[in-house]
Amino acid sequence: MRVVLSQRLSEGFKKIVPEISILFLTILSVQPQSVFGNSVISPFLCLSAVFYWSLHRQGHFYVVTLIILGIISDILIGASLGFTPILFLTVFGISSWQKKNVLLKPFHLIWGVFSLISGFTFIIAWAITSFISLQYADIGPFATQYLMTVISFPILDWLLSHIQRAVAV
Amino acid sequence: MLIKLTHEVGDRGYSMARKPVLFSSLVKPLKAWWQKTFFAVGIAACILFVIMDRGGVDHVKEIRINLTDAVLPITQTIFHPINSISNFVDDFKNLNQAREAVKVLEAQVRDLQEELIVTQGLMIQNRRLKEQTNFVDFPDTKIITGRVVTHSGGPFLKSMLINIGEDNGARLGQAVISEYGLVGVIVEVTSRFARVLQITDINSQIPVVTENTRDPAIIKGDNSRFLKLKFIPNDSLLAVGDRIVTSGHGGLLPPDIPIGHIAEIDGTSVLVSSLVDWDRLDYIRILDYRFADDLSQYLNNSSD
């Protein structure tokens, strides 16, 4: 009986590994003494995680979950509710649409696709920020975070692929 | 019978559970259609939510406040062990420098004790002059100390959550300072937490003056490390290194809180470097400026 229960719990945990990883990265990025420092713009790690899991776990990766995770992120960073879910859904939508063309390609091509998709997402983020504040937002910090996100992608991809293999999701 | 049942044989040779093949072939396209529709509905709902939040719809504000109260304790609990270990490692790293730090601090204490004697004399002189001139001072400002809970490190906006809420005396519009200068203003309060809009945020605008010449201006954030000085009088004589402090105009913030130094002057563009050490911002203090309450009460009464 105990074995069955632990097996079920283990199976349940495996199913929510993508969500847990995104949530963990979201919370990590807002920690006051984070590894990235406070003023230095940190990479948008959860966006990379959404891209990764959209390619590798699309079947279990539901829109509702992304909206909930995005709203949690909005609460933590103080953005307007709905702001981060729009970015998550953009990445999810495009990567799901192009999944068949991307998934089995060499890593440098996947990286290139990620830089294009995240670039488009950052343009949307900049447009929404400008719209919300009713003024032209300085594009510099966005470009910095975009570059940091793209540069950090291989490390995160490596990490998430190891997690994926470890829990065999 | 519409649903055809098949009898599958597994890898190990014995019979497996029966699968309703036709049923699943009906469900899959429906599921795909639903997911696509839900995707579009989700995006539309999010856009609507952003507009409502920006528009200051009360229900959205309530949702945000309730969610903040619910989510933050969970995130704090999750990261408590990690933060504790990180702090322990930092303390251990700093242990080597402790002896030197003590020497430096002892020297600073000696210097400050000398300065204290001079300052005490100036305070007495200041009090006497105020009495002689019947000077009407601002009311005393109470200080509430707390810690930063979350700190957004993205370019979208610059805000932080602190562990002082309405229950501890936090209220909208209060100034938040660090040991160096102004950090920001409280823009959202729940019972246990408050959100601080940093002075570097694109939506932050604060009335200031230059400390020496008392030239009035507005200091504005743009989500970068630097602040911009706007609406400067034409005849003002600004120089790189001039200190900028709050003016107290409008009555919301106390006057003379240090904000930063002028870092660059390029024609009409004046950039100010904040005094706050954003990388190591941990403890903050809220200024409970009672004059703001008196002013808002007066304004409310006069509008009635």
Side-chain angles (χ1 to χ4, degrees):
Chain A
M1 189 72 177
R2 270 187 189 171
V3 176
V4 174
L5 185 70
S6 66
Q7 269 180 349
R8 281 189 178 177
L9 282 172
S10 160
E11 288 297 316
F13 175 75
K14 282 176 184 175
K15 279 182 183 171
I16 58 166
V17 161
E19 289 81 359
I20 289 176
S21 64
I22 296 170
L23 184 66
F24 183 83
L25 291 169
T26 305
I27 303 172
L28 180 74
S29 60
V30 295
Q31 286 308 296
Q33 300 298 325
S34 76
V35 283
F36 312 109
N38 289 337
S39 65
V40 181
I41 292 167
S42 53
F44 200 178
L45 293 177
C46 38
L47 200 74
S48 313
V50 169
F51 174 77
Y52 180 88
W53 292 118
S54 301
L55 287 183
H56 296 92
R57 278 286 299 274
Q58 197 187 318
H60 297 279
F61 212 55
Y62 293 115
V63 173
V64 182
T65 322
L66 281 180
I67 292 176
I68 293 168
L69 288 169
I71 283 176
I72 291 173
S73 172
D74 286 340
I75 288 163
L76 294 177
I77 66 172
S80 296
L81 289 185
F83 175 77
T84 313
I86 292 173
L87 308 183
F88 281 1
L89 290 179
T90 307
V91 170
F92 172 72
I94 302 172
S95 36
S96 307
W97 173 45
Q98 288 299 319
K99 184 183 176 181
K100 282 177 189 167
N101 300 325
V102 175
L103 197 56
L104 297 173
K105 293 281 188 295
F107 177 73
H108 64 270
L109 279 176
I110 297 176
W111 194 6
V113 171
F114 173 71
S115 40
L116 285 175
I117 294 175
S118 56
F120 178 65
T121 313
F122 270 94
I123 291 170
I124 292 176
W126 170 79
I128 298 172
T129 308
S130 298
F131 167 74
I132 289 171
S133 54
L134 301 173
Q135 56 190 301
Y136 171 84
D138 186 6
I139 208 147
F142 287 87
T144 312
Q145 194 183 31
Y146 165 67
L147 285 173
M148 289 181 81
T149 309
V150 171
I151 290 166
S152 65
F153 180 72
I155 302 163
L156 199 75
D157 184 273
W158 177 83
L159 192 75
L160 292 176
S161 63
H162 272 71
I163 292 171
Q164 193 183 8
R165 257 177 265 151
V167 295
V169 287
Chain B
M1 195 171 167
L2 183 67
I3 298 172
K4 186 184 167 189
L5 299 173
T6 58
H7 196 76
E8 290 185 355
V9 177
D11 295 339
R12 293 179 188 176
Y14 51 83
S15 69
M16 300 284 283
R18 293 169 181 214
K19 271 190 177 175
V21 176
L22 273 178
F23 183 70
S24 69
S25 66
L26 271 174
V27 165
K28 271 187 180 172
L30 263 175
K31 206 174 166 184
W33 174 82
W34 169 242
Q35 203 153 8
K36 275 180 190 168
T37 314
F38 201 82
F39 177 79
V41 171
I43 290 234
C46 290
I47 293 170
L48 192 70
F49 239 69
V50 168
I51 294 167
M52 282 163 66
D53 201 1
R54 171 66 200 166
V57 176
D58 289 341
H59 290 301
V60 182
K61 271 188 182 173
E62 272 176 39
I63 291 171
R64 171 190 280 283
I65 286 169
N66 291 333
L67 283 175
T68 307
D69 259 346
V71 168
L72 268 183
I74 300 168
T75 60
Q76 275 185 305
T77 312
I78 292 170
F79 266 79
H80 184 72
I82 297 171
N83 283 337
S84 302
I85 293 166
S86 161
N87 289 340
F88 178 75
V89 172
D90 282 347
D91 289 346
F92 194 74
K93 275 183 193 169
N94 294 334
L95 212 60
N96 292 336
Q97 298 154 3
R99 194 171 289 173
E100 287 169 24
V102 168
K103 278 181 189 169
V104 173
L105 286 170
E106 279 174 349
Q108 278 181 350
V109 167
R110 276 195 299 274
D111 292 345
L112 287 171
Q113 273 173 340
E114 285 167 17
E115 277 184 34
L116 185 67
I117 297 164
V118 180
T119 312
Q120 279 172 338
L122 286 170
M123 279 172 72
I124 294 163
Q125 191 185 31
N126 191 26
R127 197 174 60 229
R128 278 185 191 155
L129 284 169
K130 277 180 179 176
E131 281 167 5
Q132 281 173 13
T133 54
N134 286 329
F135 180 73
V136 181
D137 207 349
F138 287 112
D140 288 341
T141 304
K142 199 177 122 192
I143 290 173
I144 312 163
T145 307
R147 290 189 80 157
V148 177
V149 179
T150 72
H151 196 155
S152 68
F156 318 123
L157 78 168
K158 298 286 176 194
S159 76
M160 62 180 72
L161 282 162
I162 55 171
N163 68 345
I164 307 168
E166 212 166 8
D167 297 348
N168 313 105
R171 282 191 308 282
L172 287 176
Q174 284 174 331
V176 176
I177 59 166
S178 74
E179 62 269 44
Y180 303 110
L182 186 68
V183 170
V185 174
I186 292 180
V187 289
E188 195 179 285
V189 188
T190 75
S191 56
R192 285 180 291 169
F193 302 98
R195 187 178 302 283
V196 181
L197 187 76
Q198 288 172 216
I199 51 171
T200 47
D201 187 88
I202 194 167
N203 295 304
S204 164
Q205 294 189 32
I206 293 161
V208 292
V209 289
T210 49
E211 197 174 42
N212 293 332
T213 57
R214 310 306 287 183
D215 286 322
I218 298 286
I219 204 156
K220 223 181 144 306
D222 69 348
N223 288 2
S224 70
R225 196 183 266 265
F226 289 103
L227 303 152
K228 285 176 180 165
L229 211 57
K230 299 272 180 188
F231 308 109
I232 312 157
N234 290 331
D235 57 345
S236 61
L237 296 166
L238 298 177
V240 172
D242 279 359
R243 213 157 88 123
I244 307 296
V245 295
T246 53
S247 67
H249 296 161
L252 271 175
L253 301 177
D256 298 320
I257 304 173
I259 290 184
H261 290 109
I262 293 179
E264 193 184 308
I265 302 173
D266 183 16
T268 54
S269 161
V270 180
L271 293 182
V272 175
S273 167
S274 167
L275 292 170
V276 177
D277 183 2
W278 300 105
D279 291 330
R280 289 171 192 81
L281 193 59
D282 192 8
Y283 288 94
I284 46 83
R285 283 174 289 168
I286 289 181
L287 299 182
D288 188 7
Y289 186 44
R290 279 169 245 165
F291 181 70
D293 291 344
D294 299 345
L295 188 72
S296 62
Q297 263 180 10
Y298 167 74
L299 290 173
N300 286 338
N301 291 340
S302 59
S303 65
D304 292 340

